[in-house]
Amino acid sequence: MNKYNENWLPHLNHAIPIESCKNKVSMYTIALEGWRRGLTLKFYTEMDENRIRQIRYSFLGKRREHHFAGSKGDKITDEAFHICDDKALTYEWLSKASVPVPMGKKFTEDVQEDEIIQYAKTTGFPLVLKPTNGSGGKGVIVNIQSIKALKDALFYVREELKFKEILIEQFITGDEVRIFVLGDQLFSAVNRIPANIVGDGKHSIRTLIDMKNEERKNVPHLYDRPIKLDRQLYTTLRESGLTLDTIPKHGRRVFLKKTSNVSSGGDPIDVTDRLTPELRNIAVQACQAIPGLAHCGLDMMIDWQNNKGFVIELNTRPGIGSFLFPMEGKAEDIPRAIIDDYFPETKEVQTKQSNVYFDFKTILETLQNGTVEEVEVVPAPTGNLYAKKFILSGVIQDRDYHEWLRKQALQNNLSGYIKMLGSRDMEMLIAGANKQEVDNYKQVFNQRKDRHEDMKLREEPWEAPVKVGFDIDGRLETAGLTQLESQWQKLQEEMQSIQKEKIRLERQNNKIEQSSSWRITLPLRKTGDMMKNVFK
């Protein structure tokens, strides 16, 4: 990641490793906050409700211990999780608390399509179809305007995505806003707008998507969430009379999808200051309506003009990256709020550890390969580290020399990295609590005269956070794949989308051929074919 927005939290600048950007921003940033405050941090694995091994983490303080799964802490009860995991059940609890929700109905797996269509006719269009147990916007079809569109949506969600139990609800116009609520406080709100590009009058939509995806790689929360060329994108473009080869006019914003989830390419925009007292009250009331829901990410459809809001979902594990790294607006320090709530006795130390972070990559690799089931992270250094970068030229390098330099650093409790800049050039970061030891480290280079060829040494200050430990050939995190790898990945995604569309059409064709009307009209169609041959 090459750019860091000035409106984001300064203590996270240069402290977000690439490994955390792959769907673990919530876990990492909360873990980092607690670790910097001196809490004992452990990562471990356990089976989730689907019997899949997942990585969890815990904090141990002087008075208490708490466990977390992503952004979900153990103050959230199993009952709250069960309610929020079922959208229909969530609506029941919210309705009882007089929280405004869209009108809708749940249909179980055994309910046939005809019954669902009849309900839709009674309710009226437009409608929204969503799985009762979906996540990340998967399977959510919005603004369904006709029976035909509803049938297509049912086939896609039930047959292709295999979400058999669904919810049909009225389509509420407005902006979809994700709000973080903890207890009786609302901390932040982001408006998630659907995947989009802005025309420049020169490039095609396809190229603009590539450019937008490169931009998203500079946003930690969006780094691994590109705009994908999926069925929803093709459908949205087709309905707008556009193709991937269309060149939009300068300044024209083209929406590529209808759902606004960031996982499907949406943009998070900070709108906290726009929330009125009435809208804030709805959000807090919704969180408090669910027993045992200590904090949550709440989705609300907001009609700003009429100051109305409808709660459409409660998430016990919300991705807090949108609040930390909005594409527009200011960030809110949600990790700090969570640790303040779970460990209030650490509030006084929350600003003391702001320029260190831990080796998240090694922890993940160790747990994922099954080497161990638990990792306790080395405690954070007390006080900020002093750091300096050394640039050397005219130095003969190999692995043995790097190992020797690393050993000299670790013997003096120094952290840092070595990065090769060329066969005779290298960059070395040295950091430690003792300023004098960091300054004196340059004397180590002169202890190996056999490695010098007219060595030149340049020193530079280092203000960014430092990873505790020492990396050899530590690559400063780059913005991802090479251009060739990126092009190959895009090609693969397009091929997968085409293949899915082909399968869908084949299924529809088979369904038509097996219908009674198709069989009845077979003789007529054969006669038609014969007549065509006669008049050729």
Side-chain angles (χ1 to χ4, degrees):
M1 285 163 285
N2 302 320
K3 300 178 182 178
Y4 195 83
N5 193 307
E6 61 181 8
N7 290 323
W8 296 344
L9 304 173
H11 60 270
L12 293 181
N13 191 9
H14 292 290
I16 306 293
I18 290 296
E19 294 72 32
S20 70
C21 298
K22 299 177 180 179
N23 205 32
K24 289 183 172 55
V25 168
S26 298
M27 173 190 292
Y28 173 77
T29 53
I30 296 172
L32 178 66
E33 177 69 22
W35 176 76
R36 282 176 168 177
R37 295 198 196 184
L39 298 171
T40 299
L41 172 62
K42 291 182 181 180
F43 288 89
Y44 58 94
T45 59
E46 71 174 17
M47 295 292 185
D48 66 8
E49 57 274 11
N50 297 316
R51 304 301 297 168
I52 299 174
R53 188 170 296 279
Q54 301 287 358
I55 296 177
R56 310 298 190 209
Y57 60 110
S58 67
F59 298 109
L60 176 64
K62 294 181 180 179
R63 305 176 189 175
R64 57 181 65 84
E65 181 178 23
H66 287 293
H67 294 257
F68 285 79
S71 59
K72 174 181 172 290
D74 57 17
K75 283 189 175 183
I76 296 176
T77 65
D78 290 342
E79 180 186 13
F81 176 80
H82 172 68
I83 293 172
C84 295
D85 194 47
D86 187 322
K87 293 179 177 63
L89 192 58
T90 301
Y91 283 7
E92 289 181 20
W93 280 89
L94 293 178
S95 296
K96 286 191 294 185
S98 300
V99 175
V101 297
M103 182 178 66
K105 184 177 180 181
K106 181 174 75 172
F107 295 93
T108 57
E109 180 178 355
D110 58 307
V111 177
Q112 299 301 308
E113 180 182 283
D114 290 344
E115 185 176 337
I116 300 174
I117 298 298
Q118 189 58 43
Y119 173 79
K121 290 179 178 178
T122 303
T123 305
F125 295 95
L127 296 171
V128 176
L129 184 155
K130 59 179 68 174
T132 58
N133 60 344
S135 62
K138 188 174 183 180
V140 177
I141 312 297
V142 302
N143 198 18
I144 299 172
Q145 295 279 356
S146 64
I147 293 177
K148 181 182 181 303
L150 177 58
K151 288 182 177 180
D152 290 341
L154 285 169
F155 182 83
Y156 174 63
V157 174
R158 279 187 151 186
E159 302 304 323
E160 295 189 19
L161 298 183
K162 305 301 181 184
F163 289 118
K164 299 297 185 180
E165 189 172 89
I166 61 166
L167 186 69
I168 300 291
E169 63 185 42
Q170 65 181 129
F171 176 66
I172 305 295
T173 58
D175 289 340
E176 183 176 343
V177 177
R178 168 65 61 88
I179 302 171
F180 185 82
V181 177
L182 191 157
D184 60 356
Q185 286 186 278
L186 186 152
F187 283 85
S188 185
V190 292
N191 175 23
R192 299 176 298 173
I193 63 175
N196 67 91
I197 51 89
V198 178
D200 59 6
K202 300 176 182 178
H203 297 96
S204 67
I205 290 178
R206 185 191 303 275
T207 302
L208 291 170
I209 290 174
D210 293 341
M211 294 165 63
K212 182 67 174 286
N213 283 338
E214 287 302 313
E215 180 185 350
R216 290 172 73 86
K217 286 182 179 180
N218 286 311
V219 185
H221 183 50
L222 308 180
Y223 173 86
D224 206 36
R225 294 179 167 93
I227 300 173
K228 295 182 179 180
L229 304 182
D230 55 15
R231 176 185 174 184
Q232 185 182 169
L233 182 143
Y234 286 114
T235 300
T236 304
L237 287 179
R238 185 170 60 250
E239 290 176 351
S240 301
L242 304 172
T243 71
L244 289 174
D245 297 321
T246 301
I247 300 177
K249 293 181 179 179
H250 179 77
R252 179 188 176 186
R253 186 184 295 274
V254 177
F255 286 100
L256 306 170
K257 299 185 181 183
K258 294 179 180 178
T259 55
S260 58
N261 303 75
V262 296
S263 58
S264 61
D267 294 342
I269 310 296
D270 172 46
V271 293
T272 309
D273 293 341
R274 291 187 64 186
L275 293 181
T276 63
E278 292 80 9
L279 295 173
R280 288 171 176 266
N281 182 62
I282 291 174
V284 173
Q285 185 183 2
C287 185
Q288 295 180 333
I290 310 300
L293 187 60
H295 48 90
C296 73
L298 175 148
D299 292 337
M300 184 187 297
M301 292 298 298
I302 296 180
D303 178 352
W304 299 104
Q305 185 174 357
N306 296 304
N307 195 30
K308 291 183 178 180
F310 291 83
V311 177
I312 59 175
E313 192 169 352
L314 297 174
N315 302 273
T316 56
R317 287 183 204 165
I320 66 173
S322 293
F323 307 115
L324 297 174
F325 307 106
M327 296 195 76
E328 296 178 21
K330 293 184 178 181
E332 180 64 38
D333 199 344
I334 302 301
R336 182 183 66 181
I338 291 175
I339 298 300
D340 281 352
D341 184 71
Y342 279 77
F343 295 92
E345 68 276 12
T346 67
K347 288 183 179 181
E348 61 186 35
V349 298
Q350 62 181 303
T351 59
K352 292 184 179 180
Q353 310 290 343
S354 61
N355 77 330
V356 292
Y357 64 105
F358 54 84
D359 187 357
F360 194 49
K361 177 181 179 181
T362 300
I363 292 170
L364 291 180
E365 290 177 346
T366 302
L367 293 172
Q368 288 170 346
N369 65 25
T371 304
V372 297
E373 294 185 354
E374 180 181 287
V375 175
E376 182 173 324
V377 183
V378 61
T382 56
N384 285 337
L385 297 185
Y386 172 76
K388 180 176 288 189
K389 184 166 70 174
F390 298 98
I391 310 295
L392 296 90
S393 59
V395 180
I396 303 173
Q397 302 177 77
D398 58 30
R399 190 73 179 182
D400 290 339
Y401 183 50
H402 292 168
E403 287 285 0
W404 183 80
L405 291 172
R406 176 178 181 271
K407 182 178 179 182
Q408 304 308 307
L410 293 177
Q411 284 178 345
N412 292 287
N413 296 317
L414 299 173
S415 295
Y417 67 79
I418 294 172
K419 179 183 179 183
M420 293 182 64
L421 302 178
S423 60
R424 294 292 186 269
D425 302 318
M426 65 183 289
E427 174 182 301
M428 191 168 183
L429 178 70
I430 296 296
N434 189 307
K435 179 180 182 298
Q436 193 62 44
E437 288 182 351
V438 174
D439 290 335
N440 291 341
Y441 187 85
K442 62 183 176 182
Q443 299 174 8
V444 171
F445 302 124
N446 293 320
Q447 297 177 25
R448 294 290 299 271
K449 299 292 186 181
D450 60 312
R451 296 287 172 169
H452 299 172
E453 291 183 355
D454 189 25
M455 181 184 73
K456 295 180 180 179
L457 175 65
R458 186 172 82 251
E459 301 177 28
E460 296 180 1
W462 182 270
E463 303 296 335
V466 176
K467 182 170 70 176
V468 174
F470 204 98
D471 286 343
I472 294 178
D473 281 343
R475 302 286 197 266
L476 294 181
E477 285 83 358
T478 60
L481 301 173
T482 65
Q483 183 177 8
L484 183 60
E485 289 172 325
S486 181
Q487 290 174 349
W488 173 252
Q489 180 174 308
K490 294 186 185 77
L491 180 60
Q492 291 292 96
E493 291 173 355
E494 288 188 44
M495 292 298 293
Q496 289 176 4
S497 298
I498 293 172
Q499 183 64 22
K500 287 182 179 179
E501 183 68 9
K502 179 186 175 202
I503 292 173
R504 185 183 72 83
L505 293 173
E506 288 177 346
R507 287 176 175 172
Q508 283 188 335
N509 187 55
N510 290 335
K511 190 174 181 181
I512 292 172
E513 290 181 350
Q514 293 171 7
S515 66
S516 57
S517 59
W518 182 266
R519 290 195 298 270
I520 293 171
T521 59
L522 179 60
L524 182 60
R525 282 184 282 107
K526 285 185 175 180
T527 302
D529 291 338
M530 291 174 61
M531 294 297 292
K532 288 179 183 178
N533 292 329
V534 170
F535 290 103
K536 275 186 179 180

CSV table of all heavy atoms in Angstrom, one decimal, residues 427-462:
chain,number,residue,atom,x,y,z
A,427,GLU,N,19.5,-1.8,2.6
A,427,GLU,CA,18.8,-0.9,3.6
A,427,GLU,C,18.6,-1.7,4.9
A,427,GLU,O,18.2,-2.8,4.8
A,427,GLU,CB,17.5,-0.5,2.9
A,427,GLU,CG,16.6,0.3,3.9
A,427,GLU,CD,15.3,0.7,3.2
A,427,GLU,OE1,15.3,1.3,2.1
A,427,GLU,OE2,14.2,0.3,3.7
A,428,MET,N,18.8,-1.0,6.0
A,428,MET,CA,18.7,-1.7,7.3
A,428,MET,C,18.0,-0.8,8.3
A,428,MET,O,18.4,0.4,8.4
A,428,MET,CB,20.1,-2.1,7.8
A,428,MET,CG,20.0,-3.0,9.0
A,428,MET,SD,21.6,-3.8,9.3
A,428,MET,CE,21.2,-4.9,10.7
A,429,LEU,N,17.0,-1.3,8.9
A,429,LEU,CA,16.3,-0.5,9.9
A,429,LEU,C,16.7,-1.1,11.3
A,429,LEU,O,16.7,-2.3,11.5
A,429,LEU,CB,14.8,-0.6,9.7
A,429,LEU,CG,13.9,0.1,10.8
A,429,LEU,CD1,14.0,1.6,10.6
A,429,LEU,CD2,12.5,-0.3,10.7
A,430,ILE,N,17.0,-0.2,12.2
A,430,ILE,CA,17.4,-0.6,13.5
A,430,ILE,C,16.5,0.2,14.5
A,430,ILE,O,16.5,1.4,14.4
A,430,ILE,CB,18.9,-0.4,13.8
A,430,ILE,CG1,19.8,-1.2,12.9
A,430,ILE,CG2,19.2,-0.6,15.3
A,430,ILE,CD1,19.6,-2.7,13.2
A,431,ALA,N,15.9,-0.5,15.5
A,431,ALA,CA,15.0,0.2,16.4
A,431,ALA,C,15.2,-0.4,17.8
A,431,ALA,O,15.4,-1.6,17.9
A,431,ALA,CB,13.6,0.1,16.0
A,432,GLY,N,15.1,0.4,18.8
A,432,GLY,CA,15.1,-0.1,20.2
A,432,GLY,C,14.7,1.0,21.2
A,432,GLY,O,14.6,2.2,20.8
A,433,ALA,N,14.6,0.6,22.4
A,433,ALA,CA,14.2,1.5,23.5
A,433,ALA,C,15.4,2.4,23.9
A,433,ALA,O,15.1,3.5,24.4
A,433,ALA,CB,13.7,0.7,24.7
A,434,ASN,N,16.6,1.9,23.6
A,434,ASN,CA,17.8,2.7,24.0
A,434,ASN,C,18.3,3.5,22.8
A,434,ASN,O,18.8,2.9,21.8
A,434,ASN,CB,18.9,1.8,24.6
A,434,ASN,CG,20.0,2.5,25.2
A,434,ASN,OD1,20.6,3.4,24.5
A,434,ASN,ND2,20.4,2.2,26.4
A,435,LYS,N,18.2,4.8,22.8
A,435,LYS,CA,18.6,5.6,21.7
A,435,LYS,C,20.1,5.4,21.4
A,435,LYS,O,20.5,5.3,20.2
A,435,LYS,CB,18.3,7.1,21.9
A,435,LYS,CG,18.7,8.0,20.8
A,435,LYS,CD,18.3,9.4,21.2
A,435,LYS,CE,18.7,10.4,20.0
A,435,LYS,NZ,20.1,10.4,19.8
A,436,GLN,N,20.9,5.3,22.4
A,436,GLN,CA,22.4,5.2,22.2
A,436,GLN,C,22.8,4.0,21.5
A,436,GLN,O,23.6,4.0,20.6
A,436,GLN,CB,23.1,5.3,23.6
A,436,GLN,CG,24.6,5.5,23.5
A,436,GLN,CD,24.9,6.9,22.8
A,436,GLN,OE1,24.3,7.9,23.1
A,436,GLN,NE2,25.9,6.8,21.9
A,437,GLU,N,22.1,2.8,21.9
A,437,GLU,CA,22.4,1.6,21.2
A,437,GLU,C,22.0,1.6,19.7
A,437,GLU,O,22.7,1.0,18.9
A,437,GLU,CB,21.7,0.4,22.0
A,437,GLU,CG,22.2,0.1,23.3
A,437,GLU,CD,21.5,-1.1,24.0
A,437,GLU,OE1,20.5,-1.5,23.5
A,437,GLU,OE2,22.0,-1.5,25.1
A,438,VAL,N,20.9,2.3,19.4
A,438,VAL,CA,20.5,2.4,18.0
A,438,VAL,C,21.6,3.2,17.2
A,438,VAL,O,22.0,2.8,16.1
A,438,VAL,CB,19.1,3.0,17.9
A,438,VAL,CG1,18.8,3.3,16.4
A,438,VAL,CG2,18.1,2.1,18.5
A,439,ASP,N,22.0,4.3,17.8
A,439,ASP,CA,23.0,5.2,17.2
A,439,ASP,C,24.3,4.5,17.0
A,439,ASP,O,25.0,4.7,16.0
A,439,ASP,CB,23.1,6.5,18.0
A,439,ASP,CG,21.9,7.4,17.9
A,439,ASP,OD1,21.2,7.3,16.9
A,439,ASP,OD2,21.7,8.2,18.8
A,440,ASN,N,24.7,3.7,18.0
A,440,ASN,CA,26.0,3.0,18.0
A,440,ASN,C,26.0,1.8,17.0
A,440,ASN,O,27.1,1.2,16.8
A,440,ASN,CB,26.4,2.6,19.4
A,440,ASN,CG,26.7,3.8,20.3
A,440,ASN,OD1,27.0,4.8,19.8
A,440,ASN,ND2,26.7,3.5,21.6
A,441,TYR,N,24.8,1.3,16.5
A,441,TYR,CA,24.8,0.1,15.8
A,441,TYR,C,25.6,0.3,14.5
A,441,TYR,O,26.2,-0.7,14.0
A,441,TYR,CB,23.4,-0.3,15.4
A,441,TYR,CG,23.3,-1.6,14.7
A,441,TYR,CD1,23.3,-2.8,15.4
A,441,TYR,CD2,23.4,-1.7,13.3
A,441,TYR,CE1,23.3,-4.1,14.8
A,441,TYR,CE2,23.3,-3.0,12.7
A,441,TYR,CZ,23.3,-4.1,13.4
A,441,TYR,OH,23.3,-5.4,12.8
A,442,LYS,N,25.8,1.5,14.0
A,442,LYS,CA,26.5,1.6,12.7
A,442,LYS,C,28.0,1.2,12.9
A,442,LYS,O,28.7,0.9,11.9
A,442,LYS,CB,26.5,3.1,12.3
A,442,LYS,CG,27.1,4.1,13.3
A,442,LYS,CD,26.9,5.5,12.8
A,442,LYS,CE,27.5,6.5,13.8
A,442,LYS,NZ,27.2,7.9,13.3
A,443,GLN,N,28.5,1.1,14.1
A,443,GLN,CA,29.8,0.6,14.3
A,443,GLN,C,30.0,-0.8,14.0
A,443,GLN,O,31.1,-1.3,13.7
A,443,GLN,CB,30.3,0.9,15.8
A,443,GLN,CG,30.3,2.4,16.2
A,443,GLN,CD,30.5,2.6,17.6
A,443,GLN,OE1,30.9,1.7,18.4
A,443,GLN,NE2,30.4,3.8,18.1
A,444,VAL,N,28.8,-1.6,14.0
A,444,VAL,CA,28.9,-3.0,13.7
A,444,VAL,C,29.3,-3.2,12.3
A,444,VAL,O,30.1,-4.2,12.0
A,444,VAL,CB,27.5,-3.6,13.9
A,444,VAL,CG1,27.4,-5.0,13.4
A,444,VAL,CG2,27.1,-3.6,15.4
A,445,PHE,N,29.0,-2.3,11.4
A,445,PHE,CA,29.4,-2.5,10.0
A,445,PHE,C,30.9,-2.6,9.8
A,445,PHE,O,31.4,-3.2,8.9
A,445,PHE,CB,28.8,-1.4,9.1
A,445,PHE,CG,27.3,-1.3,9.2
A,445,PHE,CD1,26.6,-0.1,9.6
A,445,PHE,CD2,26.5,-2.4,8.9
A,445,PHE,CE1,25.3,0.0,9.6
A,445,PHE,CE2,25.1,-2.3,9.0
A,445,PHE,CZ,24.5,-1.2,9.3
A,446,ASN,N,31.6,-1.8,10.6
A,446,ASN,CA,33.1,-1.8,10.5
A,446,ASN,C,33.8,-3.0,11.1
A,446,ASN,O,35.0,-3.1,10.9
A,446,ASN,CB,33.6,-0.5,11.2
A,446,ASN,CG,33.2,0.8,10.5
A,446,ASN,OD1,33.1,0.8,9.2
A,446,ASN,ND2,32.8,1.8,11.2
A,447,GLN,N,33.0,-3.9,11.7
A,447,GLN,CA,33.6,-5.1,12.3
A,447,GLN,C,33.9,-6.2,11.3
A,447,GLN,O,34.6,-7.1,11.6
A,447,GLN,CB,32.7,-5.6,13.4
A,447,GLN,CG,32.6,-4.7,14.6
A,447,GLN,CD,31.6,-5.2,15.7
A,447,GLN,OE1,31.4,-6.4,15.8
A,447,GLN,NE2,31.0,-4.3,16.5
A,448,ARG,N,33.3,-6.0,10.1
A,448,ARG,CA,33.5,-7.0,9.0
A,448,ARG,C,34.1,-6.3,7.8
A,448,ARG,O,33.4,-6.0,6.8
A,448,ARG,CB,32.2,-7.6,8.7
A,448,ARG,CG,31.6,-8.5,9.8
A,448,ARG,CD,32.4,-9.8,10.0
A,448,ARG,NE,32.4,-10.6,8.8
A,448,ARG,CZ,31.5,-11.6,8.6
A,448,ARG,NH1,30.5,-11.8,9.4
A,448,ARG,NH2,31.6,-12.3,7.5
A,449,LYS,N,35.4,-6.0,7.9
A,449,LYS,CA,36.1,-5.3,6.8
A,449,LYS,C,36.1,-6.1,5.5
A,449,LYS,O,36.2,-5.6,4.4
A,449,LYS,CB,37.5,-5.0,7.2
A,449,LYS,CG,37.7,-4.1,8.4
A,449,LYS,CD,37.2,-2.7,8.2
A,449,LYS,CE,37.6,-1.8,9.3
A,449,LYS,NZ,37.1,-0.4,9.1
A,450,ASP,N,35.9,-7.5,5.7
A,450,ASP,CA,35.9,-8.3,4.5
A,450,ASP,C,34.7,-8.1,3.6
A,450,ASP,O,34.6,-8.6,2.5
A,450,ASP,CB,36.0,-9.8,4.9
A,450,ASP,CG,34.8,-10.2,5.7
A,450,ASP,OD1,34.5,-9.5,6.7
A,450,ASP,OD2,34.2,-11.2,5.5
A,451,ARG,N,33.7,-7.3,4.1
A,451,ARG,CA,32.5,-7.1,3.4
A,451,ARG,C,32.4,-5.8,2.7
A,451,ARG,O,31.4,-5.4,2.1
A,451,ARG,CB,31.3,-7.3,4.3
A,451,ARG,CG,31.1,-8.7,4.9
A,451,ARG,CD,30.6,-9.6,3.9
A,451,ARG,NE,30.6,-11.0,4.3
A,451,ARG,CZ,30.1,-12.0,3.7
A,451,ARG,NH1,29.4,-11.8,2.6
A,451,ARG,NH2,30.1,-13.2,4.1
A,452,HIS,N,33.4,-5.0,2.8
A,452,HIS,CA,33.4,-3.6,2.3
A,452,HIS,C,34.1,-3.4,1.0
A,452,HIS,O,35.2,-4.0,0.8
A,452,HIS,CB,34.0,-2.7,3.3
A,452,HIS,CG,33.2,-2.7,4.6
A,452,HIS,ND1,33.7,-2.0,5.8
A,452,HIS,CD2,32.1,-3.2,5.0
A,452,HIS,CE1,32.8,-2.2,6.8
A,452,HIS,NE2,31.9,-3.0,6.3
A,453,GLU,N,33.5,-2.7,0.1
A,453,GLU,CA,34.2,-2.2,-1.1
A,453,GLU,C,33.9,-0.7,-1.2
A,453,GLU,O,33.0,-0.3,-1.8
A,453,GLU,CB,33.7,-2.9,-2.4
A,453,GLU,CG,34.0,-4.4,-2.4
A,453,GLU,CD,33.5,-5.0,-3.7
A,453,GLU,OE1,32.8,-4.3,-4.5
A,453,GLU,OE2,33.8,-6.2,-4.0
A,454,ASP,N,34.8,0.0,-0.5
A,454,ASP,CA,34.6,1.5,-0.4
A,454,ASP,C,33.2,1.8,0.0
A,454,ASP,O,32.4,2.5,-0.6
A,454,ASP,CB,34.8,2.1,-1.8
A,454,ASP,CG,34.9,3.6,-1.8
A,454,ASP,OD1,35.2,4.1,-0.7
A,454,ASP,OD2,34.6,4.2,-2.8
A,455,MET,N,32.8,1.3,1.2
A,455,MET,CA,31.5,1.4,1.8
A,455,MET,C,31.1,2.9,2.0
A,455,MET,O,31.9,3.7,2.5
A,455,MET,CB,31.3,0.6,3.1
A,455,MET,CG,29.9,0.7,3.7
A,455,MET,SD,29.8,-0.1,5.3
A,455,MET,CE,30.7,1.1,6.3
A,456,LYS,N,29.9,3.2,1.6
A,456,LYS,CA,29.3,4.5,1.9
A,456,LYS,C,28.1,4.3,2.7
A,456,LYS,O,27.2,3.4,2.5
A,456,LYS,CB,29.0,5.2,0.6
A,456,LYS,CG,30.2,5.6,-0.2
A,456,LYS,CD,29.8,6.3,-1.5
A,456,LYS,CE,31.0,6.6,-2.4
A,456,LYS,NZ,30.6,7.3,-3.6
A,457,LEU,N,27.9,5.1,3.8
A,457,LEU,CA,26.8,4.9,4.8
A,457,LEU,C,26.1,6.2,4.9
A,457,LEU,O,26.6,7.3,5.0
A,457,LEU,CB,27.4,4.5,6.1
A,457,LEU,CG,26.4,4.5,7.3
A,457,LEU,CD1,25.4,3.3,7.0
A,457,LEU,CD2,27.1,4.2,8.6
A,458,ARG,N,24.7,6.1,4.8
A,458,ARG,CA,23.8,7.2,4.9
A,458,ARG,C,22.8,6.9,6.0
A,458,ARG,O,22.3,5.8,6.0
A,458,ARG,CB,23.2,7.6,3.6
A,458,ARG,CG,22.3,8.9,3.7
A,458,ARG,CD,21.8,9.3,2.3
A,458,ARG,NE,20.6,8.6,1.9
A,458,ARG,CZ,20.5,7.7,1.0
A,458,ARG,NH1,21.6,7.3,0.3
A,458,ARG,NH2,19.4,7.1,0.7
A,459,GLU,N,22.5,7.8,6.9
A,459,GLU,CA,21.6,7.6,8.0
A,459,GLU,C,20.3,8.5,7.7
A,459,GLU,O,20.4,9.6,7.3
A,459,GLU,CB,22.2,8.0,9.3
A,459,GLU,CG,23.4,7.2,9.7
A,459,GLU,CD,24.0,7.6,11.0
A,459,GLU,OE1,23.3,8.1,11.8
A,459,GLU,OE2,25.3,7.5,11.2
A,460,GLU,N,19.2,7.9,8.0
A,460,GLU,CA,17.9,8.6,7.9
A,460,GLU,C,17.0,8.4,9.1
A,460,GLU,O,17.0,7.3,9.6
A,460,GLU,CB,17.1,8.2,6.6
A,460,GLU,CG,17.8,8.5,5.3
A,460,GLU,CD,17.0,8.1,4.1
A,460,GLU,OE1,15.9,7.5,4.3
A,460,GLU,OE2,17.5,8.2,3.0
A,461,PRO,N,16.3,9.4,9.6
A,461,PRO,CA,15.4,9.1,10.7
A,461,PRO,C,14.2,8.3,10.3
A,461,PRO,O,13.9,8.2,9.1
A,461,PRO,CB,14.9,10.6,11.1
A,461,PRO,CG,15.1,11.3,9.8
A,461,PRO,CD,16.2,10.8,9.1
A,462,TRP,N,13.6,7.6,11.2
A,462,TRP,CA,12.4,6.7,11.0
A,462,TRP,C,11.3,7.0,11.9
A,462,TRP,O,11.5,6.8,13.1
A,462,TRP,CB,12.9,5.2,11.1
A,462,TRP,CG,11.8,4.3,10.8
A,462,TRP,CD1,10.8,3.7,11.6
A,462,TRP,CD2,11.4,3.7,9.5
A,462,TRP,NE1,10.0,2.9,11.0
A,462,TRP,CE2,10.3,2.8,9.7
A,462,TRP,CE3,12.0,3.8,8.2
A,462,TRP,CZ2,9.8,2.1,8.6
A,462,TRP,CZ3,11.4,3.1,7.2
A,462,TRP,CH2,10.3,2.3,7.4
